Amino acid sequence: MSNVDYSEKIPNNVDLANDRTLQRALEHWQPRFLEWWREMGPNDFASVDVYLRTAVGVDAQGWAHYGTVKMPDYRWGIFLADPVANRTIGFGDSFGQPVWQQVPGEFRSQFRRLIVTQGDTEPASVEQQHRLGHTCPSLYDLRNLFQINVEEGRHLWAMVYILHAYFGRDGREEAEELLARHSGDIDKPRILGTFNEPIEDWLSFFCFCYFTDRDGKFQLKSLAESSFDPLARTCRFMLTEEAHHMFVGETGLGRIVRRTLEVMKEIGSDDPEAIRRQGAVDLPLLQRYLNFWFSSSLDLFGSEVSSNAASTFANGIKGRPDETTQYQDHVCADSTFEIEVPDGKGGVTKDTSPMRNAMNEVLRDAYIRDCEIGLKRWNIQIKRGGYKLELKLPSSRFRRAIGAWANVPTDLDGRPIDREELDRRMPGWLPSASDKAFVKSLMQRVVEPGKMAAWIAPPDRGINNLPVDYEYVRLN
Ligand SMILES: [Fe+2]
Ligand SMILES: [Fe+2]
């Protein structure tokens, strides 16, 4: 079961050859996907050779094969993690019963909406990153960008497979729509806000991988708990690919910090202007980018209190990340969760919500803790360099557009402030026009093997035990 069949038109480990109707439907979708990739993907690089990994199995160990591929020839396919024998439902009202191999009719539209929303983010990110290749800071980074792009394309396949295989005609229509919406499109935008934000520079790209892909990790982890077993298995395998995307974000930002500290040491100053004159990113600027992408990504979890979250949990559709290992009470019928909400008088008050209704917040809290890890690491580097500055995540109340804190003016610490103060101080908290212009000026492409742009340190090691100066992308 776990071996992938590459002799098929669509590589898969789901025995597609034995389901002619499904196979035909997906083979019909395949050229549309390729057309979308040509139009919206990194197509200026269609003819270059890229050192990419491809899935050859679904075991945690050794699932990937590395080799040189032209991106349009990448073997996008359908890979589900192996089934767990006698798996039972891990949470909600049907706790302990056998998992479902088909979607129960009464939950069909809830499932469909979740799968479509997840599926929509995958091609969206490819569209957002569409032109980044032209300004890569190194061949190593260029290869990582392309690896992420092809894998997000594969994640789209993962969701389209579920739609086609389990949602009949509706599913096929949704699969078409996934290629019809586009990031930032006025008429047909992507479903979630963050996925319509342009990513025009590599600092934003690394922030996106660090914060937004991490939201993806948490969503996938909670869908990997789902009672609908094919969805759970699909998401479990997606998570193994996703880990690399977060690695790119974390090491990318870490390498920027390291380079900035080197420059600060060289010039003996932490003056932002002096650092910028050396072509590096000053830390206050980095902080403003963190503020932007973190606050934007927090909204992806939805409202603090949500009847929708309660019902997807109760119905066994979407659990909590690591449901089995992290929690004792998997039913949460009577437990409660305390949340902080605005008191309407410029202050903060505590509110108690039934636990099930607060599942978005439970997820968001876990996500925030995960986001802290990288910052701690970078702050240790900064401290070792002898500087007092600390990078910090803003409060989860800051700059929210969804939920209890939507459009409530607060400072970075989440302290409610009046609108006039917000307007006055916000430019210092988010990337300014001149920050963006400066970052843009840094985006000069560096494509000599092993060489790095002046604003980023080299990685500690190369890909798959190859040296850092390996020619990961052959441009001609
Ligand atoms: Fe993804
Ligand atoms: Fe990703």
Side-chain angles (χ1 to χ4, degrees), residues 139-140 448-452 459 461-462 466-472:
L139 286 183
Y140 165 89
E448 203 183 299
K451 228 183 147 218
M452 301 286 139
R461 58 189 72 83
L466 289 174
V468 171
D469 63 4
Y470 182 77
E471 195 174 1
Y472 290 102

Side-chain angles (χ1 to χ4, degrees), residues 102-406:
Q102 292 292 331
V103 182
E106 65 270 38
F107 305 146
R108 201 179 155 85
S109 66
Q110 271 185 312
F111 266 117
R112 197 181 70 200
R113 195 172 54 234
L114 275 177
I115 292 163
V116 166
T117 307
Q118 179 63 42
D120 194 68
T121 65
E122 314 290 357
S125 66
V126 176
E127 294 169 355
Q128 286 170 292
Q129 297 159 14
H130 168 66
R131 294 188 50 79
L132 274 181
H134 292 289
T135 56
C136 63
S138 73
L139 286 183
Y140 165 89
D141 289 291
L142 185 61
R143 176 268 168 202
N144 284 345
L145 167 72
F146 292 157
Q147 182 72 59
I148 290 177
N149 288 163
V150 294
E151 285 176 354
E152 299 302 7
R154 208 210 62 77
H155 290 178
L156 171 61
W157 270 96
M159 292 296 120
V160 163
Y161 163 70
I162 296 286
L163 287 169
H164 270 250
Y166 297 95
F167 291 85
R169 191 203 173 118
D170 298 358
R172 291 193 293 276
E173 282 171 12
E174 294 285 11
E176 297 293 321
E177 286 297 300
L178 286 170
L179 298 177
R181 286 184 293 269
H182 298 307
S183 179
D185 192 300
I186 316 256
D187 301 318
K188 268 185 160 268
R190 290 296 176 182
I191 296 170
L192 300 170
T194 312
F195 292 89
N196 290 301
E197 298 284 359
I199 301 179
E200 278 154 357
D201 63 76
W202 283 73
L203 180 51
S204 299
F205 170 65
F206 291 130
C207 287
F208 180 93
C209 294
Y210 189 77
F211 291 114
T212 313
D213 268 318
R214 193 177 307 274
D215 157 72
K217 166 182 159 183
F218 278 79
Q219 302 302 338
L220 291 175
K221 267 176 163 285
S222 54
L223 291 175
E225 301 290 333
S226 182
S227 315
F228 175 35
D229 204 42
L231 176 64
R233 291 170 52 204
T234 303
C235 292
R236 255 169 53 217
F237 186 67
M238 290 164 80
L239 280 163
T240 59
E241 293 168 311
E242 203 63 50
H244 173 70
H245 310 181
M246 263 158 298
F247 163 85
V248 169
E250 177 168 346
T251 54
L253 294 173
R255 288 161 55 208
I256 294 175
V257 171
R258 196 189 318 155
R259 178 63 194 141
T260 302
L261 291 169
E262 282 169 14
V263 167
M264 282 157 73
K265 198 170 165 193
E266 276 160 33
I267 62 173
S269 165
D270 60 0
D271 172 39
E273 282 311 314
I275 293 165
R276 289 187 187 194
R277 277 196 295 276
Q278 303 300 313
V281 174
D282 53 290
L283 297 178
L285 183 150
L286 174 60
Q287 178 68 63
R288 289 191 285 277
Y289 273 74
L290 301 181
N291 293 345
F292 176 84
W293 285 101
F294 177 65
S295 54
S296 177
S297 302
L298 285 178
D299 275 336
L300 296 169
F301 291 86
S303 290
E304 285 79 356
V305 178
S306 155
S307 55
N308 197 32
S311 96
T312 51
F313 186 85
N315 296 339
I317 293 171
K318 184 180 172 188
R320 290 167 292 187
D322 307 305
E323 180 69 49
T324 4
T325 53
Q326 288 297 306
Y327 302 93
Q328 255 110 56
D329 174 9
H330 301 296
V331 180
C332 301
D334 330 291
S335 48
T336 56
F337 189 84
E338 214 166 68
I339 33 175
E340 290 177 331
V341 293
D343 67 1
K345 294 175 285 192
V348 186
T349 183
K350 288 203 155 88
D351 221 355
T352 304
S353 158
M355 180 64 87
R356 287 180 171 186
N357 294 67
M359 286 305 173
N360 288 342
E361 196 57 13
V362 172
L363 232 70
R364 186 162 27 233
D365 277 354
Y367 166 80
I368 293 170
R369 284 196 299 278
D370 209 45
C371 287
E372 299 277 7
I373 295 171
L375 276 97
K376 277 196 195 118
R377 218 165 273 162
W378 307 329
N379 283 332
I380 291 172
Q381 288 186 53
I382 297 171
K383 206 170 161 197
R384 276 204 199 121
Y387 297 95
K388 270 222 268 320
L389 187 141
E390 261 188 29
L391 297 170
K392 231 178 123 188
L393 294 179
S395 159
S396 60
R397 303 174 202 151
F398 173 71
R399 202 177 80 92
R400 292 291 302 283
I402 287 174
W405 292 92

Side-chain angles (χ1 to χ4, degrees), residues 70-105:
K70 290 187 186 4
M71 280 184 283
D73 301 332
Y74 189 79
R75 300 301 311 276
W76 285 283
I78 299 159
F79 315 124
L80 270 61
D82 286 336
V84 173
N86 306 317
R87 184 174 169 244
T88 55
I89 295 176
F91 60 95
D93 290 338
S94 306
F95 179 75
Q97 293 174 23
V99 289
W100 313 315
Q101 298 306 328
Q102 292 292 331
V103 182

